[in-house]
Amino acid sequence: MLLAAMQRMRIKELLAAETPPGEVRVQGWVRTRRDSKTFSFLEVNDGSSLASLQVIYDASIEGYAANLPHLHTGSSVDVSGVVVRSQGKGQNWELQVRSLAVLGAAPETYPLQKKRHTREFLREIAHLRPRTNLFGAVFRVRSRLSFAIHRFFQERGFVHVHTPIITASDCEGAGEMFRVTTLEGQAFTAPEAETRDFFGKRTFLTVSGQLEGETFACAFSNIYTFGPTFRAENSNTARHAAEFWMIEPEMAFCDLTGDMEVAESLIQFLIRDALDHCTEDLAFCNEFVDQGLLERLRLIAGRPFSRISYTDAVEILLRSGKTFEYPVVWGQHLQTEHERYLSEEHCRGPVTIYDYPASIKPFYMRQNEDGKTVAAMDLLVPGIGEIIGGSQREERLDRLSQAMHSQGLREEDYWWYTDLRRYGTVPHAGFGLGFERLVMMVTGVENIRDVIPFPRTPRNAEF
Ligand code: 4AD
Ligand code: MG
């Protein structure tokens, strides 16, 4: 009795029909059931939309009495019937059952009941939470954003590159890498262990596809990667995950200004796409997650972003009269509290900070003529802080070698990367957009754990 996906009607499509679709078959999970003397009233949801289908199950239908004890919240059903105009408010159509089969019963102890559950509780049942309104909305928006990212780049002629997940290089130089090895026990600590390991060298899960992406940009001009990245940062914050997805475009013949333009137009494009295609889900988020959400998204999509140099940003912070937990010092990282002040209070919208001190940035960023700063940029958004980090790359071999040397990197480990500067080097730039932080911004959800299907954070890899 299995149906090919195309032979049944999805509830979203049914609810949107202009004229009654006649006789249909739908399949989904029961959200609620109410009984009267002569019929039961079911809400059935198949994940295609936030709204559920109202189903009238008359007691005179064959099998009713036998099915009823199995028709609790959470059970899965296969329903055929006739679509009629709904008597209730809020919906055009409802379904009058001709036949109903319970595919999988759920007992009354089903963990998701009609009441509102906390997000913390729902994380413990991450295998069931996609069946709630909130997580349904979040993961449909996540899916749409993923598609919109490909649309943005494909429509502009960027080539999508699959960069490796296992790598031997530490792109960000922060040492926050997960080791990949097949060695066990004593073999792991034995002398020369690395050469006996699977790849004959030390390997890790990638922290960024950028370096490999640059090689393809130096052939295709404009490329992007969109893949999982891993960071063994031991920071248990609402914005960091050990496994997250990153979009990394890389553009040849492009400088820092061009880089900022692409970053800003990407963010605006993605917000507009979500506003146009996730109307119902974003209205739900606006009501139940963050009541300023839609207004903020429209504002971000509708006007140019601010740009401030790092040096000016430090001045602004020092003159703000605010007391921050971390001191503001030229040459130090901006902390989240600083980033949020700049974006939320000073600019009241997204802001790109550029030209950071060289000493706090990775080796590959292009050195500015002042001898102190590099052509880096971070895009900060209200509520989150950094959502994008990028830079123009150092295309001059001598400067690159010198930066690698002073950051303690062995040039021979990166011979293929420096080769790009030997054979037809070009000015080029790129950035990384944290996909989860994007989903947080678009849905208003405050914790990164709630926009990832199965989040990986320190001491947590369940499911
Ligand atoms: O600023 P990051 O570290 O930049 C890079 O990795 C560069 N290689 C990108 C490039 O130029 N191609 O990371 C980029 C973005 C951040 O702005 C943030 O949105 C996200 O990735 N990010 C994280 N998201 C979730 N959890 C973490 N632990 C993250 N670390 C970075
Ligand atoms: Mg960064």
Side-chain angles (χ1 to χ4, degrees):
M1 226 232 316
L2 287 180
L3 283 185
M6 294 303 164
Q7 284 174 284
R8 62 177 199 254
M9 195 157 192
R10 299 303 302 275
I11 288 170
K12 178 183 178 151
E13 193 193 341
L14 192 161
L15 292 176
E18 302 262 315
T19 54
E23 201 145 330
V24 300
R25 185 169 181 183
V26 297
Q27 294 162 315
W29 292 265
V30 174
R31 284 286 178 88
T32 59
R33 186 188 103 200
R34 278 187 287 122
D35 300 328
S36 80
K37 283 216 180 76
T38 54
F39 66 90
S40 290
F41 181 82
L42 308 173
E43 274 186 61
V44 176
N45 190 288
D46 66 359
S48 60
S49 68
L50 188 71
S52 298
L53 176 66
Q54 321 213 323
V55 172
I56 316 295
Y57 191 18
D58 201 281
S60 64
I61 305 283
E62 199 191 325
Y64 177 87
N67 278 335
L68 213 57
H70 306 294
L71 263 183
H72 296 298
T73 298
S75 56
S76 52
V77 289
D78 183 339
V79 193
S80 300
V82 189
V83 177
V84 298
R85 193 162 286 283
S86 176
Q87 307 298 307
K89 52 179 171 10
Q91 260 182 23
N92 278 344
W93 312 118
E94 60 190 30
L95 189 70
Q96 267 172 356
V97 176
R98 288 259 171 89
S99 77
L100 183 149
V102 179
L103 298 178
E108 271 171 298
T109 52
Y110 180 62
L112 288 176
Q113 292 302 324
K114 178 94 181 140
K115 63 173 188 149
R116 193 98 64 93
H117 296 287
T118 67
R119 309 239 180 107
E120 287 76 13
F121 168 71
L122 291 170
R123 275 174 218 151
E124 291 169 15
I125 50 166
H127 58 308
L128 297 174
R129 67 179 182 170
R131 299 190 199 177
T132 63
N133 283 337
L134 175 65
F135 289 91
V138 165
F139 292 120
R140 274 187 299 273
V141 172
R142 185 177 166 119
S143 165
R144 177 70 211 187
L145 285 170
S146 168
F147 175 65
I149 282 160
H150 287 293
R151 239 192 88 200
F152 179 89
F153 289 114
Q154 295 285 339
E155 285 174 1
R156 286 158 184 75
F158 285 60
V159 171
H160 182 205
V161 186
H162 294 116
T163 49
I165 290 169
I166 299 174
T167 173
S169 51
D170 180 5
C171 172
E172 295 306 295
E176 292 159 337
M177 310 226 285
F178 289 100
R179 177 94 180 261
V180 175
T181 177
T182 51
L183 297 175
E184 278 181 63
Q186 286 191 323
F188 196 80
T189 47
E192 309 288 313
E194 290 155 23
T195 53
R196 268 183 265 144
D197 205 346
F198 189 89
F199 295 104
K201 51 158 67 170
R202 279 162 81 90
T203 49
F204 308 90
L205 294 178
T206 184
V207 297
S208 161
Q210 178 195 321
L211 303 187
E212 293 90 349
E214 282 186 48
T215 69
F216 270 60
C218 291
F220 295 94
S221 300
N222 291 337
I223 65 98
Y224 69 105
T225 71
F226 186 175
T229 34
F230 306 86
R231 301 216 178 157
E233 306 173 86
N234 207 356
S235 46
N236 241 320
T237 79
R239 309 175 318 135
H240 290 88
E243 177 179 301
F244 62 99
W245 286 61
M246 190 156 49
I247 297 95
E248 295 186 276
E250 190 72 30
M251 288 86 65
F253 316 105
C254 180
D255 63 7
L256 188 68
T257 309
D259 202 32
M260 293 196 272
E261 280 164 9
V262 176
E264 293 163 354
S265 55
L266 172 64
I267 295 294
Q268 291 193 318
F269 175 93
L270 294 172
I271 290 178
R272 277 192 220 112
D273 184 279
L275 287 170
D276 288 349
H277 293 95
C278 306
T279 317
E280 186 192 38
D281 289 326
L282 291 186
F284 178 86
C285 293
N286 193 63
E287 192 175 342
F288 292 102
V289 181
D290 173 357
Q291 307 209 326
L293 178 69
L294 287 176
E295 194 191 334
R296 187 167 66 247
L297 291 178
R298 291 197 191 104
L299 213 72
I300 298 178
R303 60 158 208 232
F305 295 5
S306 312
R307 290 181 192 169
I308 306 177
S309 73
Y310 169 90
T311 302
D312 288 346
V314 166
E315 275 301 303
I316 290 164
L317 290 166
L318 288 174
R319 279 199 255 112
S320 68
K322 281 247 164 192
T323 37
F324 294 111
E325 193 186 332
Y326 294 89
V328 179
V329 184
W330 197 100
Q332 303 272 314
H333 286 284
L334 296 179
Q335 301 293 327
T336 302
E337 54 174 345
H338 308 141
E339 296 180 339
R340 291 189 59 172
Y341 173 82
L342 289 167
S343 142
E344 284 159 34
E345 298 188 46
H346 185 77
C347 299
R348 296 180 181 276
V351 52
T352 307
I353 311 292
Y354 60 91
D355 288 349
Y356 280 76
S359 56
I360 57 169
K361 289 292 183 186
F363 71 96
Y364 54 72
M365 295 190 177
R366 192 175 198 278
Q367 295 162 39
N368 287 327
E369 295 318 313
D370 62 12
K372 291 188 301 200
T373 62
V374 286
M377 60 111 173
D378 277 4
L379 175 55
L380 318 177
V381 293
I384 293 172
E386 178 189 340
I387 192 168
I388 282 179
S391 70
Q392 186 172 340
R393 317 307 188 189
E394 185 55 83
E395 85 284 12
R396 299 161 295 187
L397 183 59
D398 54 334
R399 302 284 190 109
L400 182 65
S401 304
Q402 167 220 319
M404 292 175 97
H405 191 76
S406 67
Q407 297 200 12
L409 299 175
R410 300 191 323 166
E411 229 183 291
E412 55 273 32
D413 293 341
Y414 294 85
W415 61 273
W416 50 275
Y417 186 73
T418 50
D419 261 6
L420 298 175
R421 280 75 183 164
R422 280 187 196 96
Y423 309 133
T425 192
V426 286
H428 62 289
F431 61 84
L433 165 63
F435 186 53
E436 282 73 18
R437 293 196 187 167
L438 172 76
V439 182
M440 290 167 73
M441 180 185 72
V442 173
T443 58
V445 167
E446 310 84 350
N447 197 308
I448 198 164
R449 292 164 181 77
D450 298 327
V451 300
I452 302 180
F454 299 104
R456 270 72 178 106
T457 50
R459 314 209 62 74
N460 173 39
E462 191 63 48
F463 307 100

